[in-house]
Amino acid sequence: VRVGAVVDVQQRALRALFVRAGEGSPSGELWRHPASERAVYLDPYIEHCPGSLFVAEADGALVGYLTGCPPGSSLPAEDDRLIAAFRSPAVLLRPATVRFLGRAALDLATVCRREPSASGELKDDRWPAHLHIDVAPEARGTGAAYGLMAAWTEALGGAGCHLQTLVENVRAVRFFERCGFVPYGPSPTVPGVRHRGARVHQLTMVRPFPAA
């Protein structure tokens, strides 16, 4: 597995991997419109943090990527990115999007009002950086994810870093723990998101220093 920075010719493969890497995972079932989901969780990172985007290749094929947001980045807030994604009627009026938003409204009106906090970004000067990482199913266990994390850690230097995953994504949680991250704060329901028909819960994890 080779890890390096993304180049322009890989953009199409990267966007295809964005869809494929999440299939079957607890975080893979959002509102089922890949273009607008990328506009929230991938494309802004390419635009605003291009130096912190790393890809992993195996036999010439793209099998993983990591998007990092270093301290001081101009990346728009996640809430703003979500609002922009739903602004288009072509997205907002899709049946899958309507179902997603309906579930989100139900969660906010029932479950979330009983929880200590709603899901959302962590804003804490101790952990100013954050990342997203995705690896294709066939590349899991090959070292690709560790290579991506090592490249990000080297680029980040000593800055504190956080990430957000799901409690139900047990494999991912174990990987992040092995990389030096620890759980932080509450684990509220993520409005609208379902995995196998059940609600899921956000898990924030932090790493004050690069893993040894």
Side-chain angles (χ1 to χ4, degrees), residues 104-197:
L106 178 64
D107 291 340
L108 289 169
T110 56
V111 178
C112 293
R113 71 169 60 177
R114 302 192 300 268
E115 297 179 342
S117 67
S119 60
E121 293 179 293
L122 174 66
K123 296 180 181 179
D124 192 309
D125 290 341
R126 292 173 293 179
W127 305 290
H130 74 265
L131 67 95
H132 293 283
I133 184 171
D134 263 323
V135 175
E138 70 271 16
R140 293 167 189 166
T142 65
Y146 286 104
L148 290 167
M149 192 68 78
W152 163 244
T153 298
E154 182 178 356
L156 187 61
C161 182
H162 74 274
L163 59 86
Q164 290 178 323
T165 184
L166 298 177
V167 173
E168 291 76 10
N169 198 344
V170 176
R171 183 187 182 98
V173 173
R174 290 175 178 169
F175 166 73
F176 293 132
E177 288 177 338
R178 289 194 291 267
C179 292
F181 288 85
V182 296
Y184 176 80
S187 297
T189 296
V190 182
V193 180
R194 297 290 187 271
H195 178 58
R196 298 175 181 171

Side-chain angles (χ1 to χ4, degrees), residues 1-6 10 53-58 62-66 133 135 142-152 154:
V1 175
R2 184 183 71 84
V3 173
V6 70
Q10 294 171 312
L53 175 61
F54 302 95
V55 296
E57 295 179 331
L62 208 61
V63 296
Y65 71 87
L66 184 151
I133 184 171
V135 175
T142 65
Y146 286 104
L148 290 167
M149 192 68 78
W152 163 244
E154 182 178 356

